[in-house]
Amino acid sequence: MLRIRYEAQETVKLVGAKIMASRQFQEADLQTHHHVTTVARHSFRVACICFCICHFLYVVFKIRTNWQLLIVCALLHDLGIIGRHFKYASNSECYTKHPVDSVDIADSLLGGLDDTARDIIGNHMWPVTPTRPRTIEGFIITVADKYSAMTDFIPMNHRQMLVEAAIL
Ligand SMILES: [Fe+2]
Ligand SMILES: [Fe+2]
């Protein structure tokens, strides 16, 4: 269990290095999320959980997924939340609009998105938002995002990314 957790963290850092070094992701580490964590820390955890689910699906069922794309999209899925108090009038507006804004930010950061990436990021709030994901990667992030949201309050899960980098 600890080995897969460590492997997930190291893989996400490797695959997502460019995104994690971006100005937008650094800003996301200053944006509070779920009251106790930051958007960046939550997104990093979602990416790690996605990797673990993909690993499980392959080892147990031999189901292949585009886990590299899923890691990248998980790191980007909530960047639309940055500046939420200025952009959105209410929490419900934030729930429905931040996936759309995250798609736009991801689009500009990556220089274009394919349909799977749009599905993963744009529909990650399902079933809170009505459009169901069309890809297995899109379903995986909906599960990982909810699991992360339920466990973000655990102290070891909500340390700022920048703080952790300074400690390690
Ligand atoms: Fe979200
Ligand atoms: Fe999220």
Side-chain angles (χ1 to χ4, degrees):
M1 191 66 185
L2 276 178
R3 193 184 66 80
I4 185 68
R5 184 186 172 100
Y6 176 77
E7 191 180 330
Q9 290 176 348
E10 293 306 304
T11 304
V12 170
K13 285 177 192 168
L14 200 67
V15 174
K18 198 174 146 197
I19 291 159
M20 291 173 68
S22 69
R23 178 184 54 78
Q24 289 90 337
F25 197 82
Q26 306 286 319
E27 267 183 48
D29 205 26
L30 301 172
Q31 173 82 55
T32 304
H33 197 39
H34 299 150
H35 304 290
V36 292
T37 189
T38 71
V39 171
R41 161 56 66 184
H42 162 76
S43 301
F44 180 77
R45 291 195 65 236
V46 173
C48 291
I49 296 162
C50 283
F51 175 84
C52 292
I53 294 173
C54 291
H55 181 80
F56 173 81
L57 287 175
Y58 182 70
V59 169
V60 178
F61 301 110
K62 292 289 176 275
I63 295 173
R64 291 182 184 275
T65 54
N66 190 343
W67 57 269
Q68 294 96 333
L69 179 65
L70 191 45
I71 285 174
V72 168
C73 292
L75 290 172
L76 296 164
H77 81 284
D78 273 341
L79 292 191
I81 287 176
I82 297 170
R84 64 182 291 175
H85 301 299
F86 304 103
K87 289 198 297 189
Y88 308 124
S90 63
N91 282 341
S92 63
E93 188 182 345
C94 182
Y95 294 151
T96 54
K97 290 193 177 167
H98 82 268
V100 180
D101 291 339
S102 295
V103 166
D104 290 342
I105 293 170
D107 203 350
S108 67
L109 263 175
L110 300 177
L113 296 180
D114 65 15
D115 286 347
T116 305
R118 286 180 188 280
D119 185 50
I120 295 169
I121 301 171
N123 297 322
H124 79 265
M125 286 297 285
W126 183 81
V128 177
T129 51
T131 309
R132 199 168 58 175
R134 299 179 305 278
T135 61
I136 186 167
E137 290 83 2
F139 273 107
I140 291 169
I141 198 171
T142 64
V143 174
D145 192 35
K146 277 47 166 196
Y147 177 79
S148 177
M150 286 188 300
T151 53
D152 277 342
F153 72 91
I154 298 171
M156 66 184 284
N157 290 340
H158 62 70
R159 197 189 286 153
Q160 260 182 309
M161 299 298 293
L162 292 173
V163 171
E164 180 161 281
I167 293 170
L168 295 176

